[in-house]
Amino acid sequence: MTLPEWVPDGVDITTPNAARVYDYTLGGFHNFQVDRQFAEDAQRAWPGIFQLAHANRAYLGRAVQWLVGRGVRQFLDIGSGIPTLGNVHEVAQATTPDARVVYVDIDPVAIAHSRHILAGHPNATAINGDLRRPDEILGHEEVLGLLDFSQPIALLLMAVLHFVPDADDPGQVIRRFDEATVSGSYVALSHGIPAKVPSGAQEEVQSLYRRTPTSVHLRTPEQVAAMLDGFTLVEPGLVPITDWHPDPEDDEAPQPTVLAAMAHKGAQPNRPAPKL
């Protein structure tokens, strides 16, 4: 089998990959048959999975626009996935050309394609990184070369924390980010939660993901909110992704099984300098 030029050496194309599955659900082309089959199986088990992916992407765009409107000019997007329509740097730089963005992902296809489209771009880059090891990300030379940690930064964690098991402490990245950033920084996230009514469809999709390297770990709204301790939730709080500052012109179907939140880091008296 001859692989496309965009496929890095050593990529496993026999096992579904969360980033590539997400790419397919959004209409992208950087995926393989195993990813497409997985997505179609998930869609049959739980009709609406594709719409959920689009709703999450739309929330990302609204969140970035909201942040730019509050003066944020720096973004650290962890679990960024494979570039597609409406990337963070495109949304932010449409109105603020000097906005700076670092994309981080563990998937080599996501990083290879990101670096390809960002080649020569002075205000955006992509690095390989694992959110379970935040110090490696925060101390990466390209992160430090592009982002100024003496100024506010927005951490974006879109539909990624629910791929991290409790044993790996998914909230640690937010706590470490809190230590490394100044007042005025933000965290924006989305996270899957259990259906209010026991859902065989949801359980079947979880079972599908257990066959991949990234199983899904749904958490209650209270557990998601606890990850943001130390930050202040901005209105409307922790809500379904379709309810977070919805675009009046959009007609999105409600998506109550994925929650969205934006949290702000305020001033703390006598706080020491950020630790990098």
Side-chain angles (χ1 to χ4, degrees), residues 13-36:
I13 65 170
T14 65
T15 303
N17 172 278
R20 300 194 308 256
V21 170
Y22 188 53
D23 175 68
Y24 176 66
T25 62
L26 293 174
F29 301 99
H30 292 81
N31 48 74
F32 305 113
Q33 178 59 35
V34 67
D35 307 305
R36 297 188 284 272

Side-chain angles (χ1 to χ4, degrees), residues 99 107 188:
D107 177 55

Side-chain angles (χ1 to χ4, degrees), residues 206-273:
Q206 285 184 273
S207 178
L208 286 171
Y209 270 102
R210 281 194 288 272
R211 303 174 196 170
T212 76
T214 49
S215 56
V216 171
H217 305 271
L218 304 177
R219 296 183 172 90
T220 66
E222 293 76 17
Q223 290 173 317
V224 176
M227 295 180 186
L228 295 169
D229 284 349
F231 287 77
T232 301
L233 284 176
V234 302
E235 292 296 331
L238 184 64
V239 297
I241 52 175
T242 45
D243 292 348
W244 198 90
H245 293 269
D247 187 334
E249 297 183 1
D250 287 344
D251 187 23
E252 290 184 305
Q255 298 290 347
T257 56
V258 175
L259 298 184
M262 179 81 71
H264 177 256
K265 176 176 177 175
Q268 299 184 24
N270 302 317
R271 183 181 181 89

Side-chain angles (χ1 to χ4, degrees), residues 10-270:
V11 169
D12 179 8
I13 65 170
T14 65
T15 303
N17 172 278
R20 300 194 308 256
V21 170
Y22 188 53
D23 175 68
Y24 176 66
T25 62
L26 293 174
F29 301 99
H30 292 81
N31 48 74
F32 305 113
Q33 178 59 35
V34 67
D35 307 305
R36 297 188 284 272
Q37 186 62 56
F38 181 95
E40 295 294 345
D41 289 345
Q43 173 73 359
R44 278 190 291 272
W46 187 359
I49 288 288
F50 283 34
Q51 291 89 337
L52 185 60
H54 283 273
N56 189 73
R57 192 69 177 181
Y59 160 60
L60 169 64
R62 296 195 306 273
V64 172
Q65 289 176 333
W66 188 93
L67 287 161
V68 169
R70 270 65 186 177
V72 176
R73 299 294 181 265
Q74 303 187 107
F75 298 85
L76 181 59
D77 185 0
I78 303 181
S80 52
I82 296 170
T84 186
L85 185 65
N87 296 302
V88 173
H89 72 283
E90 294 171 330
V91 175
Q93 292 170 1
T95 55
T96 311
D98 63 342
R100 287 169 282 171
V101 180
V102 175
Y103 296 103
V104 184
D105 205 281
I106 198 172
D107 177 55
V109 171
I111 296 306
H113 189 50
S114 296
R115 293 185 74 88
H116 173 72
I117 68 170
L118 294 173
H121 197 302
N123 288 333
T125 191
I127 66 166
N128 183 270
D130 187 336
L131 65 81
R132 295 171 297 180
R133 296 193 286 272
D135 282 344
E136 293 180 11
I137 296 172
L138 293 168
H140 195 284
E141 61 179 0
E142 290 190 57
V143 174
L144 296 176
L146 192 59
L147 303 183
D148 178 0
F149 281 81
S150 71
Q151 299 297 318
I153 296 172
L155 174 66
L156 307 177
L157 296 166
M158 302 299 176
V160 64
L161 291 172
H162 52 225
F163 289 117
V164 181
D166 290 341
D168 286 326
D169 192 2
Q172 71 164 323
V173 65
I174 299 178
R175 294 193 295 273
R176 185 64 186 93
F177 179 78
D178 180 27
E179 295 175 350
T181 56
V182 298
S183 173
S185 295
Y186 286 87
V187 175
L189 61 77
S190 61
H191 197 296
I193 63 171
K196 288 186 177 180
V197 177
S199 168
Q202 192 177 54
E203 292 171 2
E204 187 171 346
V205 171
Q206 285 184 273
S207 178
L208 286 171
Y209 270 102
R210 281 194 288 272
R211 303 174 196 170
T212 76
T214 49
S215 56
V216 171
H217 305 271
L218 304 177
R219 296 183 172 90
T220 66
E222 293 76 17
Q223 290 173 317
V224 176
M227 295 180 186
L228 295 169
D229 284 349
F231 287 77
T232 301
L233 284 176
V234 302
E235 292 296 331
L238 184 64
V239 297
I241 52 175
T242 45
D243 292 348
W244 198 90
H245 293 269
D247 187 334
E249 297 183 1
D250 287 344
D251 187 23
E252 290 184 305
Q255 298 290 347
T257 56
V258 175
L259 298 184
M262 179 81 71
H264 177 256
K265 176 176 177 175
Q268 299 184 24
N270 302 317

